Amino acid sequence: MRRSQRPSPDDSPDPPIPGTTARGNLPAELNRFVGRGEELADLGRLLTESRLVTVVGVGGVGKTRCAVRAAALLEKRYCDGVRLVELSAVHDPGLLEHAVIDALGLTDHTSRPPRTTLLEHLTGRRLLLVIDGFEHLVDACAELVCALLRRAPQLRVLAAGRQPLELDGEVTYPLAPMADEDAMTLFAERAAAVRPGFRLTEDNRGSARELCRRLDGIPLALELAAGRLRALSTEQVLQRLDDRFRLLTGASRSAQARHQTLRTAIGWSHELCAPEQRLLWARLSVFAGQFDLEAVEYICSSPELPAESVLDVLTGLLAQSVVLREDSAVGTRYRMLDTVREYGAEWLTATGDTDRLRRRHRDWFLGLATSCELDWFSPRQGEVAARAESELPNLRRAMECSLECPDEAHLAQYLAGTLWFLWVGCGRLSEGRHWLDHVLEEETPYEPSRFKALWVLGYVAVLQGDAVGAISALHECREEADRTGDAAAQAYAVHRTGCLALVTDDMVRAEELLQDALGRYRDLGELNSNVLMAQIELAMAVGFRGDLEAAAEICQEVREVCEDRGERWALSYALFVLAYAQLQQGRPECARELLQESLAIGHTFHDLLGSVLAMELLALVTAVEGDAAEAAVLQGAAERIWPSVGLPLFGSAYYGRPRAECERLARQELGDARYESGRREGAQLDPDAAVARALACRPVDRPGVKAQRRGPVPAPDGRTRKPAASPASGRGGPDRW
């Protein structure tokens, strides 16, 4: 295919790329995209003709940038959006589907294989999936892409990597280096960014052109060279590059010429670094994805590189574009491009220090997970969630490192168990199940770590609706904990067994086990989010058995503890129970306020179970208030979310009553046709849009809506209840929830 031999039609800034919305997750461009006009046009045409296009080329040639730019320009073609899947930090093929699920913005709590989740979500959707950096997972990625394309006929895939996927129907698009004039423009723009006022003149144009030619128009090489203009002139850069070409290009006769050029450009930057900068560069290669300064200071410091000097050395690497700075929700972060990281990893291997650095990396993230678990029960809960999400690639690498050595497998078990708050509280049940199953395959003599992984596995399985998997893990945990006298493991195993009884409608046993667990927690002096959830689950069991007053009192106590400690996640479930009590007392307006707060919290933490429970009850509140049409929409929206949680309402007769009552009221008001139309409308809303609509819903603000009811409210069992005298006490609730 012919490539552009001319610059862009004008040098004005590019039109803005459509912003990231619920329909896409493409990153914002931090500097101007230069050239590649013909390549972008080619990719647009090829994606019209083929469902799989793979951009291939040497590292640093601009595959990712070009693919993302093309996808952004084509976004309007795809009514279900454009999604970018970045795989460079994913090393375990078993996590490939999870990475795609994350990119699609899905949260799946079920025990279904993630492949099933993907296939069900993509079927019937018109979407462009951009897959980047798959080389190290090429076989698994090819198999997954093939399955997705077969099942989802409107799906298109734009892949970017150093080799094709080699699938039937794939169109391979080799991305050549930049044409001369585009390369010159890129070099000049990046040079001006590091040396304000720089421009191409008659004096430096010749040397700049020669520099671009020597670097074969490879964008990464050009950007590294431009970074040197902080200290050197264009002529000096060219002269030094000449030296490095002679020094470094003869390393491998079998390597591709352009690959040699890229390695030369990176190697030249490496040679120009001070010794301590080279050392830090090599050590930074142990990180996956982003990292922060504190982690660098701990992991990478040594007598040769004291911790107090790390910031200055890192600043030097930033100045040379070896390390990139990124501002995120959790503060300033840093990262290296994959090609640059790989180069550093080779140098680290040459020093023989890789194993030591990987263990230090593992130890740091073990400590981070431990502190995050403690901070989860505090006002910093939201920060903990964001931090754990941002560090997930490094946490994965830490578990992988521990599993590589049989004597250290207990550390992987400890880490997988300690991250329960990430798996359960932040909507990552499916990935948590993957790791917990994986780490428990290893037999270890460190019983506390194994026990923790077992009860967390049981907890995850309960929430996924996998009763068999849950009882197996919890029985083993309790049996072994009884044998060894591990009181904490006993308490957690009893608690989660009670939780299993709760969702399988055995309320008598649930109440018995949860009371037992809470007594054990008191004896241990244990107070955390798990203990609060045991109280909330006990309130549900008590309420389901008919004593709504006691249920409300328990949750009011939990609410006070949460407000005192700054806990938000467990609070969302307590608010759900309190809202139900308010609804049964004939106070739907109070129930709405509680439910909207519950829903907002659950959605913030990506907790689909808490979110969908609140939304279903909010639908009933809306119906009781007289807005049957909106209630039908909210029910439809909740029904779309449930498959990602598990069996709707766990198959429970108790949990299903609000839905049944809402449907009865709405059908009675609307008739079957209008009710079903509203449900279909709600089912078209993605979770973000559904939550936004539910939180904004104020029936009294909309014309044509009936006045709110103040009298007796229909209970889920079909009877009516009189309002209670005390809205906070829960008195006057139904005989059965």
Side-chain angles (χ1 to χ4, degrees), residues 26 98 149 155 172 222 302 363 366 392 525 556 589 686 699 726:
L26 298 181
H98 294 286
L149 289 172
L155 173 69
T172 301
L222 294 169
S302 68
D363 293 345
L366 279 172
L392 186 53
Q556 185 59 37
E589 69 281 5
D686 63 51
S726 171

Side-chain angles (χ1 to χ4, degrees), residues 241-492:
L241 184 61
D242 259 344
D243 294 339
R244 292 330 183 265
F245 261 87
R246 288 194 294 270
L247 178 65
L248 298 173
T249 52
S252 172
R253 293 181 182 273
S254 62
Q256 295 180 7
R258 297 198 189 284
H259 196 182
Q260 286 185 343
T261 301
L262 178 64
R263 288 185 56 80
T264 297
I266 298 175
W268 163 68
S269 287
H270 188 268
E271 289 292 314
L272 290 175
C273 287
E276 63 271 17
Q277 291 173 339
R278 298 178 202 168
L279 181 60
L280 182 58
W281 182 345
R283 292 178 176 179
L284 289 175
S285 67
V286 300
F287 287 99
Q290 295 180 331
F291 47 88
D292 64 16
L293 179 60
E294 286 185 346
V296 176
E297 288 175 330
Y298 174 82
I299 296 168
C300 301
S301 62
S302 68
E304 311 96 308
L305 187 63
E308 58 270 19
S309 70
V310 165
L311 177 57
D312 289 339
V313 179
L314 181 63
T315 301
L317 293 177
L318 283 164
Q320 298 183 63
S321 301
V322 172
V323 175
L324 305 177
R325 170 181 168 162
E326 297 181 343
D327 293 323
S328 72
V330 293
T332 300
R333 310 277 288 164
Y334 307 95
R335 70 177 177 89
M336 290 195 295
L337 296 177
D338 293 338
T339 308
V340 175
R341 178 185 286 109
E342 290 169 10
Y343 192 91
E346 292 178 8
W347 277 87
L348 186 61
T349 300
T351 66
D353 207 19
T354 300
D355 290 342
R356 184 184 71 85
L357 263 293
R358 290 196 68 194
R359 284 194 298 273
R360 284 181 69 85
H361 175 276
R362 188 268 318 282
D363 293 345
W364 171 266
F365 285 99
L366 279 172
L368 177 70
T370 301
S371 65
C372 282
E373 182 186 30
L374 293 173
D375 279 349
W376 180 258
F377 188 57
S378 79
R380 295 180 294 278
Q381 199 171 55
E383 298 170 27
V384 168
R387 179 72 184 275
E389 287 281 352
S390 69
E391 296 291 10
L392 186 53
N394 285 304
L395 292 166
R396 290 168 178 160
R397 181 163 288 188
M399 283 187 278
E400 291 166 352
C401 176
S402 298
L403 288 171
E404 289 169 5
C405 177
D407 292 339
E408 297 179 341
H410 66 284
L411 296 175
Q413 293 173 349
Y414 171 81
L415 184 52
T418 298
L419 291 173
W420 69 267
F421 63 91
L422 180 61
W423 313 139
V424 174
C426 301
R428 289 190 171 273
L429 287 180
S430 186
E431 179 167 348
R433 183 67 181 269
H434 167 87
W435 283 113
L436 290 159
D437 283 337
H438 193 28
V439 301
L440 285 167
E441 291 172 359
E442 302 294 329
E443 294 293 336
T444 67
Y446 295 87
E447 291 165 335
S449 295
R450 183 173 183 82
F451 294 163
K452 188 168 190 177
L454 280 168
W455 72 252
V456 174
L457 173 59
Y459 188 13
V460 167
V462 167
L463 297 179
Q464 289 183 316
D466 179 11
V468 174
I471 201 62
S472 175
L474 293 171
H475 177 74
E476 180 183 348
C477 180
R478 186 171 182 183
E479 189 175 67
E480 291 301 304
D482 288 344
R483 179 181 60 79
T484 61
D486 190 323
Q490 290 172 328
Y492 282 97

